[in-house]
Amino acid sequence: MATVYAPRRSARSTFLPIRGLNYHLHTWGDPALAMPARPPLVLLHGWMDVGASFQFVVDALAAADGFDRWVIAPDWRGFGLTSAPGADTYWFPDYLGDLDALLDAVLGAAGWHGAIDLLGHSMGGNVVMSYAGVRPARVRRLVNLEGFGMPETRAPHAPRRLAQWLDELKAPQALRSYDSLQAVAERLLKNNPLLTPDKAAWLAPHWSRQEADGRWHILGDPAHKRVNPVLYRKDEVLETWKLISAPVLWVEGDLTDITKWWGHRYPRSDFEARLAVVPDLQQARLAPCGHMLHHDQPEALAAQLQRFLV
């Protein structure tokens, strides 16, 4: 077994009732650390990830800044230790609803009425972009880590998408289980060659849990694998992006190749045109770095955040 990563800052695990779900949060620090120049920092993970995944960049940011700040990283519904809704399909607007309610609960209890700094990775990046457009007064600084959105769809795609969804509803969904934590860590390393063994060993028990069968199961609801019957409407999404009033930092890895996900259905030129509608945008690229920026280059990412979150 590899040496396990030793966190610089210890996270506290808490649960809150949010929209009928038992929501799990990792928090570093406490509300007393928040001030207008360093407001609460909320970190939102991507698909098949967990809030604990931000531990490395939280540590690196504390080291770069030389001080601690109040950081909040929830597990999205159906991921990590947050309960699943019991539905057979997940809907994107529910993430916005969860985030809005979560901020009401956490910030309200702390007496914080100012704006926050908001960061999202991948799926979480897509959420924060829409949220910052519809709740612009709530966001002071916005960071999007490779939340590209989705390929554009058109009305003629709808019948086939609906048929695919109906077919998938009939098929049980499952995630692979593992016989040990070491096996989970090895899978993480296989998925991401830039992840170091000590970080994989630390992540493994946060990404999985041993069940009654003795095996380690990934902490994600298999229903997440089903296609969404609602088409991705690019024009509607961009209308929210246009309304973002906070400065936005877009960060990507130099090794990320979106053609591996979508082929030629989503050319880079399309994405650049989308970014162009954001009123106040800065861009950064980390190297060598893939899609999991907060795993691959936490120190380099922290340096970008230190510069931007001022």
Side-chain angles (χ1 to χ4, degrees), residues 5 56 60-61 81 86 95-96 107 132 139 142 168-169 217 224 236 264 285 288 299:
Y5 175 84
F56 315 131
L61 185 59
L81 300 181
Y95 299 115
L96 296 174
L107 303 181
V139 182
L142 183 67
E168 290 186 3
L169 287 179
H217 294 255
H224 284 289
E236 295 180 5
H264 298 292
R285 175 174 286 199
E299 289 81 12

Side-chain angles (χ1 to χ4, degrees), residues 103-117:
L103 294 179
D104 286 346
V106 175
L107 303 181
W112 181 266
H113 303 294
I116 63 168
D117 290 342

Side-chain angles (χ1 to χ4, degrees), residues 48-309:
M48 287 297 165
D49 200 356
V50 292
S53 189
F54 288 109
Q55 178 70 56
F56 315 131
V57 76
V58 168
D59 288 342
L61 185 59
D65 279 340
F67 53 78
D68 295 337
R69 65 186 298 169
W70 185 28
V71 182
I72 305 155
D75 295 336
W76 285 122
R77 55 173 52 212
F79 287 120
L81 300 181
T82 294
S83 57
D88 51 27
T89 307
Y90 283 78
W91 307 91
F92 186 80
D94 274 326
Y95 299 115
L96 296 174
D98 289 357
L99 176 58
D100 204 46
L102 186 147
L103 294 179
D104 286 346
V106 175
L107 303 181
W112 181 266
H113 303 294
I116 63 168
D117 290 342
L118 186 60
L119 176 150
H121 171 247
S122 194
M123 182 189 82
N126 298 330
V127 175
V128 301
M129 293 290 282
S130 290
Y131 187 78
V134 298
R135 291 280 194 255
R138 201 160 208 178
V139 182
R140 187 191 75 118
R141 298 283 188 275
L142 183 67
V143 182
N144 183 350
L145 306 181
E146 293 206 353
F148 287 97
M150 300 291 289
E152 185 174 9
T153 57
R154 293 181 172 84
H157 299 152
R160 185 165 62 180
R161 175 71 69 83
L162 285 169
Q164 180 184 354
W165 178 65
L166 290 174
D167 290 340
E168 290 186 3
L169 287 179
K170 301 177 190 294
Q173 301 294 319
L175 298 174
R176 179 182 171 186
S177 62
Y178 299 85
D179 59 10
S180 66
L181 272 179
Q182 177 64 32
V184 175
E186 289 171 356
R187 180 54 190 250
L188 291 170
L189 291 169
K190 182 179 179 180
N191 289 349
N192 182 8
L194 292 179
L195 185 65
T196 58
D198 66 320
K199 291 184 172 67
W202 187 88
L203 284 169
H206 292 279
W207 276 45
S208 63
R209 177 171 55 197
Q210 191 174 31
E211 302 289 359
D213 60 3
R215 296 183 63 79
W216 291 82
H217 294 255
I218 300 301
L219 291 171
D221 182 358
H224 284 289
K225 296 174 67 176
R226 289 194 177 96
V227 69
N228 198 300
V230 177
L231 296 179
Y232 180 87
R233 298 181 173 91
K234 183 182 82 170
D235 291 346
E236 295 180 5
V237 171
L238 293 189
E239 288 303 314
T240 67
W241 288 23
K242 292 175 184 177
L243 299 175
I244 298 172
S245 60
V248 178
L249 174 64
W250 162 263
V251 190
E252 63 183 317
D254 67 325
L255 301 178
T256 298
D257 180 5
I258 61 176
T259 64
K260 293 180 179 179
W261 304 330
W262 299 301
H264 298 292
R265 293 184 295 132
Y266 189 0
R268 179 71 189 211
S269 58
D270 183 358
F271 176 66
E272 294 293 344
R274 299 184 194 190
L275 276 185
V277 309
V278 178
D280 186 351
L281 179 73
Q282 303 175 37
Q283 299 189 48
R285 175 174 286 199
L286 308 184
C289 189
H291 184 57
M292 302 298 284
L293 301 93
H294 51 307
H295 293 175
D296 297 354
Q297 292 288 348
E299 289 81 12
L301 176 57
Q304 292 291 337
L305 297 179
Q306 180 192 30
R307 175 188 61 79
F308 181 70
L309 301 179

Side-chain angles (χ1 to χ4, degrees), residues 4-84:
V4 179
Y5 175 84
R8 173 190 174 99
R9 298 189 68 194
S10 295
R12 185 162 58 97
S13 175
T14 58
F15 290 87
L16 283 175
I18 300 292
R19 301 185 66 221
L21 300 176
N22 195 28
Y23 242 85
H24 178 245
L25 295 83
H26 284 276
T27 58
W28 293 266
D30 57 59
L33 295 170
M35 58 186 69
R38 284 201 301 276
L41 173 60
V42 178
L43 310 175
L44 301 174
H45 69 79
W47 192 79
M48 287 297 165
D49 200 356
V50 292
S53 189
F54 288 109
Q55 178 70 56
F56 315 131
V57 76
V58 168
D59 288 342
L61 185 59
D65 279 340
F67 53 78
D68 295 337
R69 65 186 298 169
W70 185 28
V71 182
I72 305 155
D75 295 336
W76 285 122
R77 55 173 52 212
F79 287 120
L81 300 181
T82 294
S83 57

